[in-house]
Amino acid sequence: MKLKRTLMAGLMALSVAAPLTSGLAYAANNTLVVADRASFKDWDPASAFSEEVRVLGNIYETLVVYNAPGSAEEFSPGLATSWESSDNGKTWTFKLRHGVKFHDGSAFNAAAVKKSIDYVKELKQGAAFVWNGLDAVEALADDTVVLKFKSPTPANLIAAGQYAAYIIAPAAVEKGHDWMMAPNAIGTGPYKLGQVEQGQQVVLERFDGYWGGWKEGQFDRVIVKVVSEAATRTQMIKNGEAGVAWDIPLDQLKVLGENPSIKVSTAPSWKNFQFLINTQKYPTNNLAFRQALQYLWDYESVTKDILHGYGSVPKGPLPTSIWGHASVPMASYDLDKARQLLEASGVPKQDWKVSMQYISGIYANAAELFQATASQVGVEVELLPGEWGVIWDKAKKLDTAPNMQSMAWWPTYPTPSDWLFSEFHTEKTTLFNLSHYSNPNFDQLIEEAAALEGSDRAKSTEKYVQAQQILAKDAPAIWYADVQQIRVSRKDIKGMEKSLNPAYEAILYYNLNR
């Protein structure tokens, strides 16, 4: 499922650095140069489940678009212009946009939608699980497609997701997964996939037949350069060699924001940082001991000094900008309270020892701070840094799992269930429930809430809130930061605010102009 969770946000180093372009090259031939840390490897939208969406989101489109929180409407039309659900939430009818072409010139229609969704479901990779409840896709007419589900389902939310919901051209589906992975791509988006030099750069070329049309000042060409070194990306945006830069170190953002030629744009995201606490491994199988660890966390120092203000102290287990979140009583940094809970736990002082696994970057800095604060009350913290694949395997098995495991999370599509199911629902075989948490009452509530998403959002929210209240009391994690979405660009590039949407990782280059 979501291996992407901790592979993101500048915490993974790449082996190849991209060559620099000449100064202000982004302006040449109406071309935008983007400096990106990520090296894209999965080019099939049916299986891609990580940062590939930064590029794929400009090549492919979804039926529905989820608007940023605070917008007048929750959704906007995408490849579908309207949609409606049956009273029981099991059948959804989408009316499709007329006059849309795929990059190969073929027509976008209901048959293409059916072929694309069927392909995603049958491939069973990436986020295909979002379609598990889908019984059938029916093309009633060229402009009408019907999705039939086994139970009430929020198909509008799923169809707006950035994973498993992009519509792929029939010709690409017929050529198959390996052909797309080569890479090749045929979507309906404003840009076609051009030349790809793996580990070096990706070129996106304007699609003249794009249904949205083109205006003066938009970029005809986007060159995404893979630049592994953060310092090099920072230098490129400073001297104008790049018009947009991804994953700039947080400690550089304030200085860049003071540069009259650079704009740092921020907004709340749906990404939160956590340390999952093992509920079955001694001594963190003790509730009071887990709660003590929560009070040992210096939340304000992490958000201020490690996240440099680009994060906030959580008000609950979910980011506050996602629907269905609950504001619940949360622990704060309090050494006296932590000491009281440790004493009340009954765990002998000689056993006040925990192990802590994490990957590099922000997690490492936070873990080292926690080790220092915990030592003030006599808790010994063993730091176990490592590569994600290695520590993830260890965390899944109780005999090798640590007491605390780093995690970052953001949803496949706009739903609280993505956090609550994936991280905390009882698992027979552990995948992402790395706290090894199990509570039947919690499980029942989130199952009921998920079933109501497609028919009664209010009741669904009520049950999600109740589930989060249980979760907070059971203390299976330290939720320590809701982080911001950050975009860094040259100031003469306009339209970046349209890509400040927590539902999507991609910057939509079509919306930018100079």
Side-chain angles (χ1 to χ4, degrees):
M1 287 171 63
K2 300 203 172 195
L3 179 57
K4 68 188 177 74
R5 297 302 171 192
T6 49
L7 299 181
M8 46 69 64
L11 303 181
M12 196 175 71
L14 299 179
S15 60
V16 182
L20 299 183
T21 60
S22 58
L24 297 178
Y26 74 90
N29 301 318
N30 209 24
T31 295
L32 174 66
V33 171
V34 177
D36 199 339
R37 172 192 52 79
S39 183
F40 312 106
K41 297 178 180 179
D42 194 335
W43 291 93
D44 185 347
S47 57
F49 206 13
S50 188
E51 293 165 322
E52 288 83 6
V53 292
R54 292 181 178 183
V55 169
L56 297 180
N58 288 279
I59 298 171
Y60 297 93
E61 296 178 298
T62 53
L63 292 175
V64 182
V65 176
Y66 195 89
N67 295 325
S71 301
E73 301 290 339
E74 185 176 18
F75 300 96
S76 287
L79 291 175
T81 55
S82 64
W83 48 93
E84 62 180 2
S85 168
S86 61
D87 290 340
N88 62 10
K90 293 183 180 181
T91 302
W92 287 76
T93 303
F94 292 82
K95 287 291 185 179
L96 305 182
R97 188 178 297 277
H98 294 179
V100 177
K101 298 288 186 182
F102 287 102
H103 298 158
D104 62 354
S106 61
F108 164 77
N109 53 31
V113 173
K114 173 177 170 56
K115 196 175 189 73
S116 181
I117 295 176
D118 285 345
Y119 168 69
V120 173
K121 191 177 180 189
E122 290 165 8
L123 191 65
K124 296 180 180 179
Q125 294 188 30
F129 61 87
V130 302
W131 298 110
N132 281 352
L134 182 64
D135 253 346
V137 184
E138 298 179 359
L140 294 189
D142 270 0
D143 67 350
T144 308
V145 66
V146 175
L147 306 184
K148 295 185 175 181
F149 295 88
K150 300 171 186 175
S151 59
T153 300
N156 51 350
L157 291 173
I158 295 172
Q162 63 179 335
Y163 299 106
Y166 289 129
I167 303 302
I168 309 166
V173 172
E174 289 165 7
K175 291 176 185 292
H177 176 72
D178 290 345
W179 181 83
M180 282 184 267
M181 292 290 287
N184 293 286
I186 311 176
T188 60
Y191 291 98
K192 301 180 293 183
L193 182 62
Q195 182 186 33
V196 176
E197 298 175 44
Q198 194 61 44
Q200 296 290 326
Q201 69 177 27
V202 176
V203 178
L204 300 175
E205 303 283 1
R206 161 177 162 161
F207 174 41
D208 288 331
Y210 182 56
W211 60 266
W214 291 89
K215 296 178 181 178
E216 185 178 354
Q218 290 178 285
F219 294 102
D220 296 330
R221 196 178 201 215
V222 179
I223 301 176
V224 181
K225 289 189 169 291
V226 179
V227 184
S228 61
E229 293 296 328
T232 305
R233 295 193 301 276
T234 303
Q235 186 60 30
M236 289 176 71
I237 195 71
K238 286 172 68 175
N239 65 19
E241 295 179 56
V244 172
W246 285 90
D247 302 321
I248 297 297
L250 298 180
D251 61 359
Q252 296 294 310
L253 292 174
K254 183 177 180 180
V255 174
L256 287 177
E258 294 171 351
N259 187 318
S261 298
I262 295 173
K263 183 176 183 179
V264 177
S265 305
T266 63
S269 80
W270 287 344
K271 187 184 302 173
N272 61 356
F273 287 167
Q274 314 153 34
F275 265 94
L276 302 176
I277 307 176
N278 196 317
T279 61
Q280 296 188 38
K281 186 182 184 74
Y282 183 76
T284 49
N285 58 349
N286 181 298
L287 174 59
F289 195 93
R290 293 197 303 275
Q291 291 172 332
L293 298 182
Q294 291 180 324
Y295 281 96
L296 287 174
W297 193 274
D298 191 344
Y299 300 89
E300 295 291 346
S301 290
V302 170
T303 54
K304 178 182 177 182
D305 300 327
I306 295 177
L307 295 176
H308 296 274
Y310 293 97
S312 58
V313 177
K315 296 180 180 178
L318 304 184
T320 56
S321 57
I322 184 79
W323 73 267
H325 76 88
S327 293
V328 298
M330 302 285 280
S332 58
Y333 181 50
D334 188 331
L335 294 181
D336 289 337
K337 178 70 171 178
R339 190 178 290 108
Q340 292 170 12
L341 286 164
L342 288 167
E343 296 286 356
S345 72
V347 175
K349 285 188 177 180
Q350 65 266 27
D351 292 343
W352 290 5
K353 301 176 181 178
V354 294
S355 54
M356 195 174 193
Q357 275 193 164
Y358 52 88
I359 57 176
S360 61
I362 290 169
Y363 302 111
N365 296 335
E368 290 166 6
L369 176 61
F370 180 75
Q371 182 188 49
T373 58
S375 68
Q376 296 180 51
V377 297
V379 174
E380 181 181 331
V381 179
E382 180 186 8
L383 301 182
L384 301 171
E387 295 296 323
W388 169 247
V390 174
I391 65 175
W392 185 35
D393 284 341
K394 289 181 178 179
K396 287 186 285 188
K397 306 179 186 74
L398 270 177
D399 58 338
T400 57
N403 295 105
M404 302 173 69
Q405 173 63 51
S406 67
M407 182 63 74
W409 203 267
W410 70 98
T412 303
Y413 68 94
T415 172
S417 68
D418 204 282
W419 282 270
L420 301 178
F421 259 94
S422 300
E423 289 194 282
F424 300 109
H425 190 279
T426 302
E427 290 182 329
K428 292 182 179 179
T429 301
T430 301
L431 186 61
F432 284 105
N433 184 349
L434 303 182
S435 59
H436 300 271
Y437 173 72
S438 180
N439 183 321
N441 293 331
F442 172 83
D443 289 350
Q444 181 178 348
L445 279 168
I446 62 173
E447 288 166 8
E448 292 173 352
L452 289 166
E453 281 189 20
S455 58
D456 193 329
R457 180 78 68 85
K459 286 185 179 179
S460 175
T461 295
E462 181 180 330
K463 290 182 180 292
Y464 277 134
V465 168
Q466 292 173 18
Q468 290 166 77
Q469 291 169 341
I470 291 174
L471 197 64
K473 290 178 181 178
D474 286 348
I478 296 173
W479 297 276
Y480 65 90
D482 292 347
V483 298
Q484 289 189 330
Q485 192 173 47
I486 301 168
R487 310 299 197 196
V488 181
S489 60
R490 299 289 294 183
K491 190 162 281 187
D492 64 341
I493 294 176
K494 311 301 181 184
M496 188 62 78
E497 66 280 356
K498 296 179 181 178
S499 287
L500 286 170
N501 184 340
Y504 302 103
E505 171 75 0
I507 293 174
L508 302 179
Y509 301 123
Y510 176 79
N511 288 335
L512 304 183
N513 64 83
R514 187 175 55 245

CSV table of all heavy atoms in Angstrom, one decimal, residues 41-47 56 60 119 123 168-186 193:
chain,number,residue,atom,x,y,z
A,41,LYS,N,10.3,6.9,-10.8
A,41,LYS,CA,10.6,5.6,-11.3
A,41,LYS,C,9.3,4.9,-11.8
A,41,LYS,O,9.4,3.9,-12.6
A,41,LYS,CB,11.3,4.8,-10.2
A,41,LYS,CG,12.6,5.4,-9.8
A,41,LYS,CD,13.3,4.6,-8.7
A,41,LYS,CE,14.6,5.2,-8.3
A,41,LYS,NZ,15.3,4.4,-7.2
A,42,ASP,N,8.1,5.2,-11.2
A,42,ASP,CA,6.9,4.5,-11.6
A,42,ASP,C,6.1,5.4,-12.5
A,42,ASP,O,5.5,6.4,-12.0
A,42,ASP,CB,6.1,4.1,-10.3
A,42,ASP,CG,5.0,3.1,-10.6
A,42,ASP,OD1,4.6,3.1,-11.7
A,42,ASP,OD2,4.7,2.4,-9.7
A,43,TRP,N,5.9,5.1,-13.7
A,43,TRP,CA,5.3,5.9,-14.7
A,43,TRP,C,3.9,5.5,-15.1
A,43,TRP,O,3.2,6.1,-15.9
A,43,TRP,CB,6.1,6.0,-16.0
A,43,TRP,CG,7.4,6.8,-15.7
A,43,TRP,CD1,8.6,6.3,-15.3
A,43,TRP,CD2,7.6,8.2,-15.8
A,43,TRP,NE1,9.5,7.3,-15.2
A,43,TRP,CE2,8.9,8.5,-15.4
A,43,TRP,CE3,6.8,9.3,-16.1
A,43,TRP,CZ2,9.5,9.7,-15.4
A,43,TRP,CZ3,7.3,10.5,-16.0
A,43,TRP,CH2,8.6,10.8,-15.7
A,44,ASP,N,3.4,4.4,-14.5
A,44,ASP,CA,2.1,3.9,-14.7
A,44,ASP,C,1.1,4.5,-13.7
A,44,ASP,O,1.3,4.2,-12.5
A,44,ASP,CB,2.0,2.4,-14.7
A,44,ASP,CG,0.7,1.8,-15.1
A,44,ASP,OD1,-0.3,2.6,-15.1
A,44,ASP,OD2,0.6,0.6,-15.3
A,45,PRO,N,0.2,5.3,-14.0
A,45,PRO,CA,-0.7,5.9,-13.0
A,45,PRO,C,-1.5,4.9,-12.2
A,45,PRO,O,-2.0,5.2,-11.1
A,45,PRO,CB,-1.7,6.8,-13.9
A,45,PRO,CG,-0.9,7.1,-15.1
A,45,PRO,CD,-0.1,5.8,-15.4
A,46,ALA,N,-1.6,3.7,-12.8
A,46,ALA,CA,-2.3,2.7,-12.1
A,46,ALA,C,-1.5,2.1,-10.9
A,46,ALA,O,-2.1,1.5,-10.0
A,46,ALA,CB,-2.7,1.5,-13.1
A,47,SER,N,-0.2,2.2,-11.0
A,47,SER,CA,0.6,1.7,-9.9
A,47,SER,C,1.4,2.7,-9.1
A,47,SER,O,1.9,2.5,-8.0
A,47,SER,CB,1.6,0.6,-10.5
A,47,SER,OG,2.4,1.2,-11.5
A,56,LEU,N,3.1,13.2,-13.1
A,56,LEU,CA,1.9,12.6,-13.6
A,56,LEU,C,0.7,13.5,-13.5
A,56,LEU,O,-0.2,13.4,-14.4
A,56,LEU,CB,1.6,11.2,-13.0
A,56,LEU,CG,2.7,10.1,-13.1
A,56,LEU,CD1,2.3,8.9,-12.4
A,56,LEU,CD2,2.9,9.8,-14.6
A,60,TYR,N,-1.9,13.6,-16.7
A,60,TYR,CA,-3.2,12.9,-16.6
A,60,TYR,C,-4.2,13.8,-15.8
A,60,TYR,O,-3.7,14.7,-15.0
A,60,TYR,CB,-3.1,11.6,-15.9
A,60,TYR,CG,-2.2,10.6,-16.7
A,60,TYR,CD1,-0.9,10.5,-16.5
A,60,TYR,CD2,-2.8,9.8,-17.7
A,60,TYR,CE1,-0.1,9.6,-17.2
A,60,TYR,CE2,-2.0,8.9,-18.4
A,60,TYR,CZ,-0.7,8.8,-18.1
A,60,TYR,OH,0.1,7.9,-18.8
A,119,TYR,N,-8.7,-1.3,-15.7
A,119,TYR,CA,-7.3,-1.6,-15.8
A,119,TYR,C,-6.7,-1.4,-14.4
A,119,TYR,O,-5.9,-2.3,-13.9
A,119,TYR,CB,-6.6,-0.7,-16.8
A,119,TYR,CG,-5.1,-0.8,-16.8
A,119,TYR,CD1,-4.4,-1.9,-17.1
A,119,TYR,CD2,-4.4,0.4,-16.3
A,119,TYR,CE1,-3.0,-1.9,-17.0
A,119,TYR,CE2,-3.0,0.3,-16.2
A,119,TYR,CZ,-2.3,-0.8,-16.6
A,119,TYR,OH,-1.0,-0.9,-16.5
A,123,LEU,N,-5.0,-4.5,-12.3
A,123,LEU,CA,-3.6,-4.5,-12.1
A,123,LEU,C,-3.3,-4.7,-10.6
A,123,LEU,O,-2.2,-5.4,-10.3
A,123,LEU,CB,-3.0,-3.2,-12.5
A,123,LEU,CG,-1.5,-3.1,-12.6
A,123,LEU,CD1,-0.9,-4.0,-13.7
A,123,LEU,CD2,-1.0,-1.7,-12.9
A,168,ILE,N,-6.5,7.0,-18.0
A,168,ILE,CA,-5.5,6.6,-18.9
A,168,ILE,C,-6.1,6.3,-20.3
A,168,ILE,O,-7.2,5.7,-20.4
A,168,ILE,CB,-4.7,5.4,-18.4
A,168,ILE,CG1,-4.3,5.6,-16.9
A,168,ILE,CG2,-3.5,5.0,-19.3
A,168,ILE,CD1,-3.8,4.3,-16.3
A,169,ALA,N,-5.4,6.7,-21.3
A,169,ALA,CA,-6.0,6.5,-22.7
A,169,ALA,C,-6.1,5.0,-23.0
A,169,ALA,O,-5.2,4.2,-22.6
A,169,ALA,CB,-5.1,7.2,-23.7
A,170,PRO,N,-7.1,4.6,-23.8
A,170,PRO,CA,-7.3,3.2,-24.1
A,170,PRO,C,-6.0,2.6,-24.8
A,170,PRO,O,-5.6,1.5,-24.5
A,170,PRO,CB,-8.5,3.2,-25.1
A,170,PRO,CG,-9.3,4.4,-24.6
A,170,PRO,CD,-8.3,5.4,-24.2
A,171,ALA,N,-5.4,3.4,-25.7
A,171,ALA,CA,-4.2,2.9,-26.4
A,171,ALA,C,-3.1,2.6,-25.4
A,171,ALA,O,-2.4,1.6,-25.6
A,171,ALA,CB,-3.7,3.9,-27.4
A,172,ALA,N,-2.9,3.4,-24.3
A,172,ALA,CA,-1.9,3.1,-23.3
A,172,ALA,C,-2.2,1.9,-22.5
A,172,ALA,O,-1.4,1.0,-22.2
A,172,ALA,CB,-1.7,4.3,-22.4
A,173,VAL,N,-3.5,1.7,-22.2
A,173,VAL,CA,-4.0,0.5,-21.5
A,173,VAL,C,-3.7,-0.7,-22.3
A,173,VAL,O,-3.2,-1.8,-21.8
A,173,VAL,CB,-5.5,0.6,-21.1
A,173,VAL,CG1,-6.0,-0.7,-20.5
A,173,VAL,CG2,-5.7,1.8,-20.1
A,174,GLU,N,-4.0,-0.7,-23.6
A,174,GLU,CA,-3.7,-1.8,-24.4
A,174,GLU,C,-2.2,-2.2,-24.6
A,174,GLU,O,-1.9,-3.3,-24.6
A,174,GLU,CB,-4.3,-1.6,-25.8
A,174,GLU,CG,-5.9,-1.6,-25.8
A,174,GLU,CD,-6.5,-1.0,-27.1
A,174,GLU,OE1,-5.7,-0.7,-28.0
A,174,GLU,OE2,-7.7,-0.8,-27.1
A,175,LYS,N,-1.4,-1.1,-24.6
A,175,LYS,CA,0.0,-1.4,-24.6
A,175,LYS,C,0.6,-2.0,-23.3
A,175,LYS,O,1.6,-2.7,-23.3
A,175,LYS,CB,0.8,-0.1,-25.0
A,175,LYS,CG,0.5,0.4,-26.4
A,175,LYS,CD,1.2,1.7,-26.7
A,175,LYS,CE,0.9,2.2,-28.1
A,175,LYS,NZ,1.4,1.4,-29.2
A,176,GLY,N,-0.1,-1.6,-22.2
A,176,GLY,CA,0.2,-2.3,-21.0
A,176,GLY,C,1.2,-1.6,-20.0
A,176,GLY,O,1.8,-0.6,-20.3
A,177,HIS,N,1.3,-2.2,-18.9
A,177,HIS,CA,2.1,-1.6,-17.8
A,177,HIS,C,3.5,-1.4,-18.2
A,177,HIS,O,4.1,-0.4,-17.9
A,177,HIS,CB,2.0,-2.6,-16.6
A,177,HIS,CG,2.8,-2.2,-15.4
A,177,HIS,ND1,2.5,-1.1,-14.6
A,177,HIS,CD2,4.0,-2.8,-14.9
A,177,HIS,CE1,3.4,-1.1,-13.6
A,177,HIS,NE2,4.3,-2.0,-13.8
A,178,ASP,N,4.2,-2.4,-18.8
A,178,ASP,CA,5.6,-2.3,-19.1
A,178,ASP,C,5.8,-1.2,-20.1
A,178,ASP,O,6.9,-0.5,-20.0
A,178,ASP,CB,6.1,-3.7,-19.7
A,178,ASP,CG,6.2,-4.8,-18.6
A,178,ASP,OD1,6.1,-4.4,-17.4
A,178,ASP,OD2,6.3,-5.9,-19.0
A,179,TRP,N,4.9,-1.0,-21.0
A,179,TRP,CA,5.1,0.1,-22.0
A,179,TRP,C,5.0,1.4,-21.3
A,179,TRP,O,5.9,2.3,-21.6
A,179,TRP,CB,4.0,0.0,-23.0
A,179,TRP,CG,4.0,1.1,-24.1
A,179,TRP,CD1,4.8,1.1,-25.2
A,179,TRP,CD2,3.3,2.3,-24.1
A,179,TRP,NE1,4.6,2.2,-26.0
A,179,TRP,CE2,3.7,3.0,-25.3
A,179,TRP,CE3,2.4,2.9,-23.3
A,179,TRP,CZ2,3.2,4.2,-25.7
A,179,TRP,CZ3,1.8,4.1,-23.6
A,179,TRP,CH2,2.2,4.8,-24.8
A,180,MET,N,4.1,1.6,-20.3
A,180,MET,CA,4.1,2.9,-19.6
A,180,MET,C,5.3,3.1,-18.7
A,180,MET,O,5.8,4.2,-18.6
A,180,MET,CB,2.8,2.9,-18.8
A,180,MET,CG,1.5,3.3,-19.6
A,180,MET,SD,0.0,3.5,-18.7
A,180,MET,CE,-0.6,1.8,-18.8
A,181,MET,N,5.8,2.0,-18.2
A,181,MET,CA,7.0,2.1,-17.3
A,181,MET,C,8.3,2.4,-18.1
A,181,MET,O,9.3,2.8,-17.5
A,181,MET,CB,7.1,0.8,-16.5
A,181,MET,CG,6.0,0.5,-15.5
A,181,MET,SD,6.1,1.6,-14.1
A,181,MET,CE,7.5,1.0,-13.2
A,182,ALA,N,8.2,2.4,-19.4
A,182,ALA,CA,9.4,2.5,-20.2
A,182,ALA,C,10.3,3.8,-20.1
A,182,ALA,O,11.5,3.7,-20.1
A,182,ALA,CB,9.1,2.2,-21.7
A,183,PRO,N,9.8,5.0,-20.0
A,183,PRO,CA,8.4,5.4,-19.8
A,183,PRO,C,7.7,5.9,-21.1
A,183,PRO,O,8.3,6.4,-22.0
A,183,PRO,CB,8.5,6.5,-18.8
A,183,PRO,CG,9.8,7.2,-19.2
A,183,PRO,CD,10.7,6.1,-19.7
A,184,ASN,N,6.3,5.7,-21.0
A,184,ASN,CA,5.5,6.3,-22.0
A,184,ASN,C,4.2,6.8,-21.3
A,184,ASN,O,3.9,6.3,-20.3
A,184,ASN,CB,5.1,5.3,-23.1
A,184,ASN,CG,6.3,5.0,-24.0
A,184,ASN,OD1,6.8,5.7,-24.8
A,184,ASN,ND2,6.8,3.8,-23.8
A,185,ALA,N,3.5,7.7,-21.9
A,185,ALA,CA,2.3,8.2,-21.3
A,185,ALA,C,1.3,8.8,-22.3
A,185,ALA,O,1.7,9.4,-23.3
A,185,ALA,CB,2.6,9.3,-20.3
A,186,ILE,N,0.0,8.5,-22.1
A,186,ILE,CA,-1.0,9.1,-23.0
A,186,ILE,C,-2.2,9.5,-22.0
A,186,ILE,O,-2.9,8.7,-21.5
A,186,ILE,CB,-1.6,8.2,-24.1
A,186,ILE,CG1,-0.4,7.6,-24.9
A,186,ILE,CG2,-2.5,9.0,-25.0
A,186,ILE,CD1,-0.9,6.5,-25.9
A,193,LEU,N,4.2,13.8,-22.1
A,193,LEU,CA,5.5,13.4,-21.7
A,193,LEU,C,6.5,13.5,-22.9
A,193,LEU,O,6.3,12.9,-23.9
A,193,LEU,CB,5.4,12.0,-21.2
A,193,LEU,CG,6.8,11.4,-20.6
A,193,LEU,CD1,7.3,12.2,-19.4
A,193,LEU,CD2,6.6,9.9,-20.3
